[in-house]
Each structure stands twice: as structure tokens, then as C-alpha cells.
Amino acid sequence: MYIGLETDAASLRVYDPQVVPGLLQTRPYAEALITGALPETTPTDIEKRVQVRMRRQERIAAPENPLRLWTVLDESALRRVVGTRALMREQLEYLVEQSQLPHVTVQVIPFDMGAHPGLNGQYAILEFPDASDSSVVYIEGVTSDLYLEKANDVQQYSVMYEHLRAQALNVEQSRQLIADLAKEYAR
């Protein structure tokens, strides 16, 4: 899903308006999501995609130099039922758990925020520890992906991301909203 995660990407900033980002997905959520999003995909190919997603998550749990992840989600990503209500409860509980790691930050843009800079769609910004490696914006597509490396493009997406972070609930408010929604799925 993201270029550079198999290497030494120091940090990743992600915005997703529709779904929980792959690096924070449980296996059942990833399976249900891929199955729903790619209905003509074979079970074997779905399993391969899920395995890749789970392998990439190892960068967050790495004992040394874990990936620094900052994600901003639209509230719709939390309310969209992927799979079953029980699966969603499990996913949101896992998201709360992951958000408590010192190198993982999760913020939510609530519905009542209205229009915001992320309405155009999801993207990620990869930043590398070596100053000679320039940052990259990654935009995932259905048939191909887009990588933006021009400094001006990266700067525009970075500014847009800063606006998203500023308009989102703070970390504690976001965690509480996610926990409250998880309880709603338990009913």
C-alpha cells in the first residue's frame, strides 16, 4: 500500500476519509474491506493482499526504530460498517489500542466540522530520516498509484495535512469518540 515502508521511512502522515488506514487494520477488517472493494478478486488474491498489509504493520511494532504514524480519519471511516458490527467493534477497539502507542497518533475529523481540506480524498506523506531522500506524497488508485515527489506538490499536501490536523479533534477527544463508537457497535 505504501512505498518505502519496507525501507527506513521515518514517518508517515495519512489522511483517509473512507476507511481505517491499512497500517491500523485488523485482519478481519482488512479481509472484509478488500473483499467488498474488489468484488471480482479471488480468495487467493485477497489473502495475498491481506498478508502484505499485515506484514507492513510490522513496521509499527518494530522494537527498534518503529515507524512514526500520524493519521487523520474522517468520522465516516469509523461509522462505515465494514463486515459486521462485531467486526467493527473489534476494529475500533484495536484502533484505540494502537493510538496509545507513543509513536502512533490518531485524530478524527467529526461530521460537524463540515467542509475541510481532505474532502478530495485520501493520501499519505512519507518522510525519510536521511535529508537527501525527499518526502513523497502517495495517492492510492484502483488501477495504479500516484507518487508525487516535486517539492511544491509535497508542500501543498503538507499544508493541507496541517489544516486537517488543526481541524480534527485532539488526540484524547478522538480516542474517546472511537471508544464510544466501539461501544455502540456492541449493542
Side-chain angles (χ1 to χ4, degrees), residues 7-115:
T7 63
D8 292 327
S11 68
L12 180 66
R13 294 181 285 164
V14 178
Y15 170 69
D16 207 313
Q18 298 292 323
V19 297
V20 173
L23 290 173
L24 297 173
Q25 293 175 1
T26 61
R27 175 176 276 281
Y29 181 94
E31 289 170 350
L33 181 65
I34 293 167
T35 300
L38 303 170
E40 295 186 10
T41 304
T42 66
T44 301
D45 286 341
I46 289 170
E47 180 56 27
K48 285 178 187 176
R49 287 173 179 265
V50 170
Q51 285 178 3
V52 167
R53 194 162 290 185
M54 296 300 108
R55 195 168 48 248
R56 285 186 175 134
Q57 290 181 4
E58 294 172 7
R59 286 286 288 125
I60 293 174
E64 291 183 33
N65 197 23
L67 177 71
R68 173 75 182 97
L69 176 64
W70 194 309
T71 187
V72 177
L73 301 168
D74 194 279
E75 185 175 343
S76 62
L78 307 173
R79 292 192 179 271
R80 179 175 316 284
V81 178
V82 173
T84 65
R85 292 179 64 80
L87 187 153
M88 283 304 297
R89 183 187 73 246
E90 177 186 315
Q91 173 59 63
L92 295 183
E93 289 171 348
Y94 180 74
L95 188 57
V96 168
E97 179 185 310
Q98 292 299 102
S99 76
Q100 295 175 22
L101 296 172
H103 55 281
V104 175
T105 302
V106 177
Q107 286 184 272
V108 178
I109 295 182
F111 282 145
D112 62 8
M113 179 54 62

Side-chain angles (χ1 to χ4, degrees), residues 106-108 165-176:
V106 177
Q107 286 184 272
V108 178
R165 286 177 25 181
Q167 292 177 14
L169 299 174
N170 70 35
V171 172
E172 284 304 316
Q173 292 168 328
S174 295
R175 192 175 293 133
Q176 187 61 55

Side-chain angles (χ1 to χ4, degrees), residues 114-135:
H116 57 76
L119 291 176
N120 289 327
Q122 69 80 236
Y123 66 94
I125 304 169
L126 286 82
E127 298 169 312
F128 301 92
D130 189 339
S132 65
D133 292 329
S134 60
S135 296

